[in-house]
Amino acid sequence: MNKLEFSSLYQLTMMRFRLFLREPEAIFWIFIFPILLAAGLGIAFRNRPPEVLQVGATTLQLTQALNADKGLTSITMDEATGTQALATGRILLLAVQRPDTTVYQYDSTNPDARTAKLLADRAIQTAAGRHDALPTQEALVHETGSRYIDFVVPGLLGMNLMGSAMWGMGFAIVDARQKKLLKRLVASPMPRWQYLASFLLSRLVMLVVEVAAFLGFARLVFGVPFRGSITQLSLLCILTSLAFSALGLLTASRAKTIEAVSGLMNFVMFPMWIFSGVFFSSTRFPAAVQPLIRALPLTAAIDAMRGNMLQGLSLQQLLAPVAILLAWLIIPFAISLRIFRWR
């Protein structure tokens, strides 16, 4: 590489940094928003004592039996009042005393109501003199790595890498095309590949700050574990960013307006926000669509990062998601080079 080539690549890369720093909104969405989102989810789903469930009963005897269970709090009410309380969500279950039985009224589609039914039946049966046939003990486990915040941090990291790579690549290219800057650049002595390389170089430098700030916050504030190799986690983040940069380049290859590229990128990213397991496991979806979900780049990225951070898996044990990310890097990038429009 001669001095002119090095200088042009350097200047293009520095231009990317200057343009980025002039956009405070981009700084907020890339660096600050993921931290705020992680903080909100971490606080909302923090480890808390077992919740006491609100129930009702039609007799004082049933109320006393239900209140004997630490997981329940019961009030006495007539059946009509209790039915109204169920309908408005003030109680989860109503225990109605009949001459020869106790009837539990509750919504079986509500998980808390099903839990209340089990606790209520246990309390009433115990008050009636039932004894456990087999003695049991509880061994409560609150292990770091099994919490919701531990599960969601890799998902938020993958989502942020996807958004910053695709928006950063797509918006900048289409904006330059719309302002006729690409036309001027292609007429200069600059090799075309350096223009695209400047995006990747600037992206990799910002990636260090982006990932370090987010994961550092998750570690210091919530104690999120890093059971795998930090070096290999860094490689996964780089590969993820490059794969989504290639997708961003592909979506911006022919788009002529900001509105067009925005629609294309939302079309690409929206299914992954839903299906790729950012906030809940992707295994919740039907088995028939699991092969398609597994093939999504965000699914592969999140699975690989969760495997590294929470299970301590090495890259050798994550060959399937790594191969998927490599495919999403190579194929879109190759197509982009063939169809990219400078004018």
Side-chain angles (χ1 to χ4, degrees), residues 21-283:
L21 294 175
R22 291 175 184 174
E23 298 290 341
E25 299 88 351
I27 295 175
F28 171 81
W29 288 109
I30 292 177
F31 297 112
I32 301 176
F33 176 73
I35 293 176
L36 294 178
L37 188 57
L41 291 173
I43 293 171
F45 294 96
R46 66 192 182 278
N47 287 344
R48 293 177 293 180
E51 186 177 357
V52 178
L53 304 177
Q54 183 74 45
V55 297
T58 57
T59 66
L60 180 60
Q61 181 182 6
L62 285 178
T63 298
Q64 292 173 342
L66 293 172
N67 282 329
D69 193 294
K70 295 180 179 179
L72 298 172
T73 178
S74 177
I75 55 176
T76 305
M77 58 185 69
D78 59 59
E79 187 171 350
T81 303
T83 301
Q84 178 66 21
L86 273 176
T88 57
R90 291 192 291 114
I91 61 174
L92 293 168
L93 173 141
L94 177 65
V96 181
Q97 183 67 63
R98 299 285 191 231
D100 55 352
T101 187
T102 298
V103 177
Y104 300 116
Q105 296 182 10
Y106 66 102
D107 181 3
S108 63
T109 64
N110 186 333
D112 287 338
R114 294 198 300 268
T115 301
K117 187 267 179 183
L118 295 174
L119 295 178
D121 189 63
R122 182 182 68 180
I124 291 173
Q125 297 292 353
T126 300
R130 187 183 74 178
H131 299 284
D132 294 331
L134 180 68
T136 60
Q137 293 182 340
E138 291 184 347
L140 302 180
V141 178
H142 301 287
E143 182 180 357
T144 301
S146 61
R147 304 167 302 171
Y148 180 71
I149 186 63
D150 304 320
F151 172 85
V152 82
V153 160
L156 292 177
L157 178 59
M159 183 182 71
N160 193 50
L161 292 175
M162 175 182 70
S164 59
M166 291 196 64
W167 288 109
M169 180 73 77
F171 263 149
I173 291 176
V174 175
D175 184 57
R177 182 182 290 127
Q178 197 170 11
K179 294 176 179 178
K180 310 299 183 183
L181 295 178
L182 286 183
K183 182 179 178 181
R184 296 180 182 179
L185 287 171
V186 77
S188 70
M190 172 203 72
R192 296 185 180 186
W193 66 267
Q194 288 191 6
Y195 180 75
L196 301 180
S198 68
F199 281 91
L200 298 181
L201 288 176
S202 61
R203 180 77 198 110
L204 291 178
V205 173
M206 287 190 292
L207 184 67
V208 175
V209 182
E210 178 184 347
V211 173
F214 178 71
L215 292 183
F217 173 83
R219 177 66 177 177
L220 292 174
V221 177
F222 295 110
V224 174
F226 297 96
R227 292 175 176 153
S229 166
I230 297 296
T231 301
Q232 294 187 3
L233 177 61
S234 301
L235 292 175
L236 287 173
C237 291
I238 292 172
L239 179 58
T240 299
S241 183
L242 292 177
F244 285 115
S245 294
L247 267 176
L249 178 62
L250 180 60
T251 57
S253 293
R254 290 296 184 95
K256 296 181 179 180
T257 65
I258 294 296
E259 292 78 9
V261 77
S262 297
L264 286 172
M265 286 192 290
N266 281 319
F267 177 77
V268 170
M269 292 190 291
F270 185 72
M272 289 186 276
W273 289 335
I274 297 175
F275 295 110
S276 291
V278 176
F279 300 103
F280 54 87
S281 175
S282 58
T283 58

